[in-house]
Amino acid sequence: MGIRALFDPEDEVRERVLFHLNILENSDEDLSSSEQPVVVDFLELQNSLVQYFSSPSNFETPFSLQEAEQKITQLQLSKSKNISSTGSNIHHTNAGLSISGTQAVVGTLSDQDVSQSTSSQNQSNASEIAQHPGLAMYGKLFKSGNPVLVTESDSDYVVKCIVHSFAKHLVFQYVVTNTVQGQLLENVVVDCDYSSLNGVNKVATIPAQQVFPSSSASLYVCFQLKGDDHFNISGSVSNTLRFTLKEINETQDISEEGDEDEYRLEDFSITPNCFAKQNPTTDFRSLWEQMGKAESPQKIEIFALNFKSIAAAVAAIVDIFGMGANDGTDHVPETDQTGKHTLLCSGTYFPAVPVMIVTNFVLSQQSSQVQIRVTIRSESQQVCDALMSCVG
């Protein structure tokens, strides 16, 4: 069983098998008799690994998990002291802003923490894609979107999609999880109907060779932008998962013959926000006023959203624009009875165009809707128009 698992398509499975086989074969007591497991924060461990691989000079000594654990523990203690010293009830008021002010509770994570977490995830995605022989040709990764579930969470085959943006390409990564015991999926692809998606042409499909039970594998569908237009890419995509289904018996033998099968996935939409990424600033109000004085391009529109709470509407708008919130304004206090809120977002649009967005929210008790007023300022009118189109 252990030898068969060495050929598992998942890196993590193979690494675990090699680790434990080494213990069994060499009777390494130090490895097999750990009294306590090492528990560290995943994101901090990831940051330590990124720092280690960032300089070739570090390769002279092997990466030490114990040293990383000590540094992470010290960092976590330092953060805890900082949080304790500032108190648990931290508030920020957007008074003095050129639009109506509001008050928001700042959460435990700061804008910088969120930005670092997102940056770390982008670095991880960039490293994975750069090492993939079929994707490295697309150059530097600009942004990876949030995973979107395109099946029910309790489906036989659970699939989520991540959209990766490059200078001249979009790559849809479909992560397929096979939850059916006794079934192997081979030559797994997604047939994308992108006839409603403007601005791209499909150029490649990279299948997942095998997806074993209780494991996941990724496949990719690649698109090339038509020209250098990063502003009008929008539309819906229909998806069908196609694969060869093979049976695995009780002795783990795989049937030689398989049946062609397919699985309908949910549609999802692509908007220009795939070329917008977060870039929180510590001085939003000053930069906002500077853009106003410089008469930078601006666009203002009013919308009515079908949400019963401002908090839900705020979360939706942050996701729609694909940029980070500033000054904790993505948090709506539960005690706030005013029915009003202001969200401040900032970021960059491809390749490096600054964008700032102020969204005012007003809850209508009579219609159970949230009225919003969106103001977008940027150095480019095209950027303002493209991002506003994401709302409605």
Side-chain angles (χ1 to χ4, degrees):
M1 182 64 183
I3 301 301
R4 180 184 296 275
L6 287 173
F7 298 95
D8 192 278
E10 286 294 310
D11 294 340
E12 183 178 357
V13 174
R14 295 197 302 271
E15 290 169 0
R16 288 183 178 181
V17 171
L18 284 171
F19 176 78
H20 289 288
L21 282 176
N22 185 58
I23 293 175
L24 294 173
E25 292 173 357
N26 300 316
S27 299
D28 193 330
E29 295 181 358
D30 292 335
L31 289 176
S32 60
S33 60
S34 299
E35 295 181 359
Q36 293 182 349
V38 178
V39 180
V40 297
D41 181 86
F42 175 76
L43 288 177
E44 297 293 355
L45 177 59
Q46 189 179 49
N47 288 333
S48 296
L49 287 168
V50 170
Q51 292 177 2
Y52 177 79
F53 285 105
S54 64
S55 176
S57 62
N58 294 333
F59 301 161
E60 296 177 359
T61 57
F63 179 81
S64 172
L65 183 59
Q66 291 182 342
E67 291 182 6
E69 181 189 9
Q70 292 174 356
K71 292 179 181 179
I72 292 169
T73 302
Q74 293 173 357
L75 179 61
Q76 290 172 336
L77 288 173
S78 175
K79 286 184 177 180
S80 298
K81 291 179 180 178
N82 290 336
I83 293 173
S84 299
S85 64
T86 55
S88 58
N89 295 322
I90 306 174
H91 293 77
H92 176 82
T93 304
N94 299 322
L97 199 60
S98 58
I99 41 87
S100 58
T102 188
Q103 192 176 65
V105 176
V106 180
T108 305
L109 290 177
S110 66
D111 297 332
Q112 185 177 6
D113 291 330
V114 174
S115 178
Q116 289 176 346
S117 174
T118 303
S119 175
S120 177
Q121 184 61 50
N122 269 336
Q123 287 178 346
S124 176
N125 289 330
S127 176
E128 178 183 349
I129 289 175
Q131 295 174 12
H132 196 294
L135 302 176
M137 68 182 73
Y138 298 143
K140 183 179 179 180
L141 175 68
F142 177 74
K143 175 188 175 181
S144 294
N146 295 323
V148 176
L149 199 61
V150 291
T151 61
E152 297 294 333
S153 58
D154 57 353
S155 299
D156 290 343
Y157 315 116
V158 180
V159 183
K160 61 183 178 181
C161 180
I162 305 171
V163 178
H164 304 287
S165 305
F166 299 82
K168 295 184 178 181
H169 294 84
L170 288 179
V171 174
F172 297 171
Q173 177 184 3
Y174 295 88
V175 183
V176 181
T177 302
N178 178 10
T179 69
V180 182
Q181 300 302 315
Q183 290 187 358
L184 169 67
L185 311 184
E186 285 192 341
N187 299 321
V188 188
V189 298
V190 168
D191 184 8
C192 287
D193 179 1
Y194 65 101
S195 56
S196 299
L197 180 59
N198 300 320
V200 298
N201 288 319
K202 187 169 74 171
V203 292
T205 297
I206 304 174
Q209 298 300 328
Q210 293 179 318
V211 188
F212 284 86
S214 301
S215 67
S216 302
S218 291
L219 61 98
Y220 304 86
V221 181
C222 310
F223 299 85
Q224 184 173 11
L225 274 62
K226 296 178 180 178
D228 296 323
D229 187 357
H230 298 85
F231 306 105
N232 297 307
I233 297 175
S234 61
S236 61
V237 180
S238 299
N239 310 276
T240 302
L241 186 71
R242 302 187 190 279
F243 50 88
T244 300
L245 181 64
K246 292 186 176 182
E247 299 294 332
I248 304 177
N249 62 25
E250 296 180 355
T251 60
Q252 301 301 308
D253 292 324
I254 302 172
S255 61
E256 295 183 1
E257 299 296 328
D259 298 321
E260 300 299 317
D261 203 350
E262 63 180 44
Y263 199 79
R264 186 75 174 87
L265 307 179
E266 295 180 7
D267 298 354
F268 62 86
S269 297
I270 297 295
T271 66
N273 71 3
C274 59
F275 287 104
K277 62 182 179 180
Q278 67 177 11
N279 184 24
T281 176
T282 57
D283 195 9
F284 185 95
R285 287 171 290 178
S286 176
L287 294 174
W288 178 263
E289 292 172 0
Q290 289 178 20
M291 277 192 166
K293 292 178 180 178
E295 297 183 353
S296 299
Q298 176 175 288
K299 193 174 184 67
I300 302 174
E301 286 194 19
I302 297 175
F303 302 90
L305 306 180
N306 292 319
F307 289 100
K308 295 183 179 181
S309 70
I310 288 181
V314 168
I317 291 298
V318 170
D319 184 62
I320 284 173
F321 287 132
M323 295 191 297
N326 289 266
D327 303 336
T329 54
D330 54 334
H331 298 280
V332 182
E334 294 181 1
T335 57
D336 188 359
Q337 303 296 327
T338 63
K340 297 181 180 180
H341 189 76
T342 299
L343 172 67
L344 312 178
C345 292
S346 63
T348 54
Y349 200 90
F350 184 87
V353 182
V355 187
M356 306 189 78
I357 305 176
V358 172
T359 308
N360 302 109
F361 299 79
V362 178
L363 178 62
S364 173
Q365 300 293 345
Q366 297 178 347
S367 61
S368 296
Q369 287 186 326
V370 177
Q371 305 287 332
I372 67 170
R373 180 179 185 268
V374 181
T375 305
I376 303 177
R377 289 179 181 174
S378 176
E379 296 176 355
S380 166
Q381 188 63 52
Q382 283 184 303
V383 170
C384 294
D385 295 341
L387 287 175
M388 192 67 81
S389 70
C390 297
V391 183

